[in-house]
Amino acid sequence: MSDNRLPEAGDRIAKLLARAGVASRREIERMIEAGRVSLHGKVLDTPAVKLESLRGVTVDGKPVGEAEETRLFAFHKPSGLLTAERDPKGRPTIYAALRNALPKDAGRVMPVGRLDFNTEGLLLLTNDGEMKRAMELPSTGVPRTYRARAFGDITQDQLDSLIEGIEIDGIRYGQIEANLERGSGRNRWIEMTLREGKNREVRRVLEHLGLEVNRLLRIGYGPFHLGDLPRGQAVELKRGDVQAFKRELGRGGRQ
């Protein structure tokens, strides 16, 4: 867009819209490319516009309100739900369960990362697209902790080798802390903490070690933990804890 009157101060429009909970920054950039975002009635074709506020901004013709205070919810995702708003195959998604689990005033929330269809456990949801992006970036190093029940033979020494990272089929997986829980037999629980969250990372790493994963549960993301939250239920996390974590993210510190 070649309009010299566009303001140059402030933050990029995609960042402001993400902070306001419209979508993630990447999704907003796609929305701008598709001509869905306007400023004072003029369709934008670049995400480089900088603004002091969202006054005059519309998405799909609807005005956008200013960013609300950041909220973060913990949801115990059951197995058998897709982390998506809709599925062309008609599979059930998290949003059907969230309609009953979230408080009525939760507004629009976005999942932080994803859990596979058959993976259960802690799924965080936020109204702050900037926080979502920061938590997902490998560069911020936010830890994700899982418990995997796997069938096969494995030793702690083999798991200890994952601390150096591992390459599988040309994909490099970074440092993983893995501990074999006490028990006997060939069905064992393994706790794993990783900081990148690549697609199906836990399953691929354990399958590479000759194990068959038959249950996978995420129990932690950053400083937040699943605890005894019942399956299918959600709870809002304390705003003081959320703001403290957000400040830590802003400093770029690893959790």
Side-chain angles (χ1 to χ4, degrees):
M1 186 170 182
S2 57
D3 189 334
N4 294 328
R5 294 172 298 170
L6 286 175
E8 292 299 325
D11 290 320
R12 289 168 69 101
I13 188 171
K15 181 176 181 179
L16 289 175
L17 288 172
R19 193 181 298 152
V22 172
S24 69
R25 194 189 298 191
R26 186 176 299 174
E27 289 167 345
I28 289 165
E29 289 175 351
R30 287 195 288 263
M31 293 164 73
I32 291 172
E33 289 177 4
R36 296 172 58 189
V37 181
S38 298
L39 175 61
H40 300 304
K42 295 185 177 182
V43 176
L44 298 179
D45 60 9
T46 173
V49 177
K50 290 186 176 181
L51 300 173
E52 294 285 356
S53 75
L54 291 171
R55 192 177 303 112
V57 176
T58 59
V59 176
D60 296 331
K62 299 177 182 178
V64 180
E66 294 298 329
E68 298 178 355
E69 182 181 8
T70 297
R71 300 176 71 180
L72 191 64
F73 300 88
F75 173 57
H76 186 159
K77 175 194 173 293
S79 176
L81 292 180
L82 203 67
T83 308
E85 291 197 33
R86 60 188 64 86
D87 179 43
K89 298 179 181 178
R91 290 174 295 179
T93 75
I94 60 169
Y95 287 93
L98 288 173
R99 277 196 292 271
N100 296 321
L102 289 173
K104 300 301 181 187
D105 69 344
R108 185 186 188 279
V109 293
M110 300 163 279
V112 178
R114 291 178 177 269
L115 288 178
D116 294 338
F117 187 73
N118 291 319
T119 302
E120 56 191 291
L122 179 64
L123 182 64
L124 298 177
L125 304 121
T126 183
N127 63 343
D128 187 332
E130 278 298 291
M131 183 173 181
K132 164 185 162 71
R133 178 175 178 271
M135 291 182 71
E136 292 172 344
L137 284 173
S139 59
T140 57
V142 179
R144 295 90 151 150
T145 301
Y146 294 81
R147 288 186 73 224
R149 187 177 66 193
F151 179 79
D153 295 316
I154 192 76
T155 66
Q156 184 61 50
D157 284 344
Q158 288 174 285
L159 294 175
D160 287 342
S161 68
L162 297 176
I163 201 68
E164 304 297 331
I166 188 171
E167 185 170 316
I168 302 171
D169 297 331
I171 299 175
R172 181 70 187 175
Y173 298 97
Q175 159 183 321
I176 299 173
E177 300 169 38
N179 291 292
L180 186 63
E181 296 187 5
R182 291 182 180 275
S184 59
R186 299 186 69 204
N187 238 336
R188 303 289 297 276
W189 283 97
I190 301 167
E191 184 172 302
M192 302 176 69
T193 298
L194 47 99
R195 294 178 179 270
E196 291 182 327
K198 287 188 172 75
N199 186 37
R200 295 178 60 82
E201 182 169 348
V202 172
R203 293 182 188 275
R204 285 177 173 166
V205 168
L206 293 181
E207 286 167 3
H208 181 76
L209 294 177
L211 300 174
E212 179 183 342
V213 178
N214 49 55
R215 190 178 177 193
L216 184 58
L217 179 77
R218 183 157 68 196
I219 60 173
Y221 200 127
F224 307 110
H225 301 279
L226 183 64
D228 57 4
L229 182 65
R231 186 180 289 109
Q233 297 299 306
V235 64
E236 182 166 7
L237 300 172
K238 293 180 180 178
R239 298 198 185 190
D241 294 342
V242 173
Q243 291 301 326
F245 176 60
K246 191 175 179 181
R247 288 193 295 273
E248 183 68 25
L249 272 179
R251 290 193 289 268
R254 295 166 71 88
Q255 304 302 308

